[in-house]
Amino acid sequence: MTEAISRGVAGRMAAVLFVAAGLSSATVALAAPGERRLPSLIVAALSLAIGAGCWFAPWDRWPRERTLWLAGIALVLMSTAATFGAYGRYTYACYFLVLFAWIGVTQPRGTATRFLPAAAIAYLLPVLHVEPDPDAAFAVIEVLAMAAALGEGLAWMSSLLYRSQAQNVRRLIELRELVHSGELLARETDGSRGPGLIAELGSQLLHARAAAVLLHEGAGSLAVGGHVRWRLETGSHITEAEAPRLLRALGAEGTVALDVADLPLPQPVKGGSYLAVPLRAGASTQGLLLLASGGAGSPTGAYEEHLVMAFCAQAGLMLERLHATEQLEATSLRDELTGLGNRRYGDRVLSRVQPDDVLVMLDLDRFKELNDTSGHPAGDDALRLIGGLLLRCLREEDHAIRWGGDEFCLVLRGAPGLEPERVVQRLRTAWDRSRIPVTFSAGIAVHTACPIEVTLALADQELYRAKEAGRLAAVTDNVVNIHTATSVA
């Protein structure tokens, strides 16, 4: 049941009216004939007592229906006072108008109409008892019709007031949620979690049954970045040929309503509607927020449209920030010349090395002579070739790092079973085919449950042993100078 005003306010309004009626009855009783004075004073005293009780009663703890009992009590007192006390034929109808006004303000629509039979009885009793005039009895129709119209009119206005108040409260809550969502988006630093956070916050703020974030990958393609309550596979792709209207939504200025036929995706809501909203940051569009609901497919008004667009603008800025951060971080961890990870990247990789991983330290043989004889551009070209070769020869789970000027570090995940010596031998074969103008020496250490510094030092030690055994450039039997050891905690 809607409440334009609280139950406590309704009870206190009744208290004020009872007290006012009691004072009015007491004033009228003083001028009444002797035999009617006492009943009027009794009714006045009861009205004052009931008003005082209503003021202090815990109405907010009780159902709203209890306040309607006050209207019944008021009818009894009004009818009793007019029948046995001082009856004012010119003022009697005013009490009914006030009563129905209170009903209209404090009770739901229709209550005043349902209350008419009881009010008619209460109105007619004193009229027929004190002044049995048919014309006076017919006045009940006019008076109560006006009273009911007054009550229903006020109830209608109260319901409009309640809906407006409820809408304002709801919008205030949504704006607070929008601000809170913006704070959460601004604090997010993990690019892998960002799309999922957008889907979750968007579904909550915009009251969607399911949500998904589709990232724009260029060349007419979208990828599922995150979703909530939607059975999708993160990373799966949607091409323009599969969903042309969905891809066109990237350039929309506002929300775009979609049909099931526009989406090559499983339906999270049977018979639901779908809404696509661009995640725009400045001039670039990062992707789409896809919302599924069981209701209308587009916002119902300008406010809702702006709310959706404001949230998606924040989400787009977050995605742009995370993407820029990832690019900056990738740049800061990459050696520009070789394309391999740099020393900072290497420190990060080594901090996550597990037992049975293998460290391979590579050092170029006579690289300084190449720089001195052919110039530094030739040395840079050789380093570029080496970087590309290492990236091609290693598995996805392995890492290649430019450790120093002409020194490289390879981290082979779980490599003892792969026989790291053979891995390096295969690297030597690919090295020869690539016509790299220098050779290399290698030291290998198998990591165990010890500090990584121990394994790294051991690999360096084995590298220098390989160097002392003779650089590859001086070897003619196609044997790589490598030494292998296992670290001990």
Side-chain angles (χ1 to χ4, degrees):
M1 182 182 295
T2 59
E3 295 186 3
I5 59 175
S6 69
R7 286 161 286 180
V9 172
R12 287 178 174 81
M13 286 178 61
V16 172
L17 294 177
F18 271 111
V19 170
L23 294 176
S24 176
S25 297
T27 302
V28 172
L30 295 178
E35 68 278 4
R36 291 186 173 270
R37 183 177 302 171
L38 182 60
S40 296
L41 290 175
I42 293 174
V43 170
L46 288 174
S47 297
L48 293 173
I50 294 172
C54 289
W55 186 266
F56 297 103
W59 297 107
D60 288 328
R61 300 180 187 177
W62 299 336
R64 175 168 288 269
E65 290 76 11
R66 290 198 179 184
T67 59
L68 195 56
W69 283 94
L70 297 175
I73 294 174
L75 287 179
V76 172
L77 292 178
M78 289 160 53
S79 182
T80 301
T83 301
F84 302 104
Y87 170 68
R89 60 180 299 180
Y90 301 108
T91 60
Y92 185 50
C94 296
Y95 290 91
F96 285 85
L97 293 176
V98 172
L99 174 62
F100 274 80
W102 177 84
I103 292 175
V105 171
T106 63
Q107 305 299 322
R109 293 175 62 179
T111 304
T113 302
R114 292 193 297 270
F115 211 71
L116 279 176
I121 295 173
Y123 190 93
L124 286 174
L125 285 177
V127 171
L128 298 177
H129 178 77
V130 177
E131 192 177 15
D133 184 355
D135 294 334
F138 281 115
V140 67
I141 300 175
E142 183 178 0
V143 171
L144 294 186
M146 293 177 60
L150 176 64
E152 293 297 340
L154 291 175
W156 176 70
M157 293 179 61
S158 296
S159 66
L160 292 180
L161 175 64
Y162 170 79
R163 285 198 295 270
S164 176
Q165 180 183 13
Q167 183 183 60
N168 290 336
V169 171
R170 185 180 69 253
R171 289 182 174 181
L172 178 61
I173 293 173
E174 289 173 343
L175 289 176
R176 288 177 178 175
E177 291 178 352
L178 178 63
V179 172
H180 180 62
S181 297
E183 293 174 351
L184 294 178
L185 294 174
R187 289 201 296 265
E188 183 57 59
T189 58
D190 190 340
S192 63
R193 292 200 305 261
L197 179 62
I198 294 173
E200 180 179 356
L201 294 176
S203 66
Q204 294 174 359
L205 177 64
L206 307 175
H207 311 293
R209 298 279 296 276
V213 172
L214 307 179
L215 300 177
H216 186 208
E217 294 194 330
S221 176
L222 294 170
V224 178
H227 51 87
V228 57
R229 295 184 297 277
W230 203 323
R231 298 181 62 183
L232 299 174
E233 182 180 353
T234 301
S236 59
H237 289 77
I238 302 172
T239 64
E240 187 171 7
E242 294 174 317
R245 192 163 180 228
L246 184 62
L247 269 293
R248 286 198 298 271
L250 289 168
E253 294 298 326
T255 59
V256 178
L258 300 172
D259 298 326
V260 176
D262 299 323
L263 301 175
L265 300 171
Q267 289 184 254
V269 181
K270 289 186 178 181
S273 55
Y274 301 91
L275 193 69
V277 193
L279 299 174
R280 189 169 289 121
S284 64
T285 302
Q286 303 297 313
L288 292 172
L289 174 62
L290 194 59
L291 302 171
S293 65
S298 61
T300 57
Y303 167 80
E304 289 77 8
E305 177 84 13
H306 286 115
L307 181 69
V308 173
M309 298 306 297
F311 171 77
C312 289
Q314 292 179 340
L317 290 172
M318 184 203 73
L319 290 176
E320 184 182 50
R321 172 177 57 82
L322 292 178
H323 181 64
T325 301
E326 288 178 351
Q327 287 185 323
L328 288 173
E329 185 176 10
T331 301
S332 69
L333 297 175
R334 187 177 66 250
D335 178 65
E336 293 185 4
L337 183 61
T338 63
L340 304 178
N342 58 18
R343 185 65 176 265
R344 182 182 176 192
Y345 175 79
D347 291 338
R348 183 175 296 186
V349 170
L350 292 179
S351 68
R352 296 194 291 266
V353 168
Q354 302 296 321
D356 289 337
D357 289 347
V358 172
L359 301 187
V360 180
M361 298 302 297
L362 299 180
D363 188 81
L364 304 184
D365 299 324
R366 299 187 176 90
F367 183 70
K368 184 177 184 301
E369 294 179 11
L370 175 64
N371 280 331
D372 293 340
T373 58
S374 301
H376 287 282
D380 290 346
D381 290 340
L383 290 173
R384 291 190 190 95
L385 290 173
I386 293 168
L389 176 67
L390 293 177
L391 291 175
R392 291 193 303 273
C393 291
L394 297 183
R395 302 170 300 171
E396 289 187 4
E397 61 266 29
D398 298 333
H399 301 273
I401 304 152
R402 187 182 181 191
W403 200 250
D406 61 348
E407 190 175 15
F408 300 84
C409 176
L410 307 182
V411 179
L412 310 179
R413 297 296 189 189
L418 300 177
E419 299 183 17
E421 294 87 352
R422 291 188 179 182
V423 173
V424 178
Q425 289 285 4
R426 288 197 298 271
L427 177 61
R428 158 66 196 277
T429 302
W431 194 286
D432 290 342
R433 292 173 180 170
S434 65
R435 300 182 182 278
I436 296 174
V438 292
T439 57
F440 68 88
S441 297
I444 302 174
V446 180
H447 184 61
T448 60
C450 67
I452 186 60
E453 292 80 10
V454 175
T455 307
L456 187 61
L458 188 56
D460 269 328
Q461 178 183 335
E462 298 305 316
L463 171 62
Y464 287 114
R465 287 181 60 194
K467 286 283 190 181
E468 292 174 357
R471 292 179 175 85
L472 185 58
V475 176
T476 59
D477 57 0
N478 201 32
V479 175
V480 182
N481 296 317
I482 58 174
H483 282 254
T484 306
T486 301
S487 59
V488 179

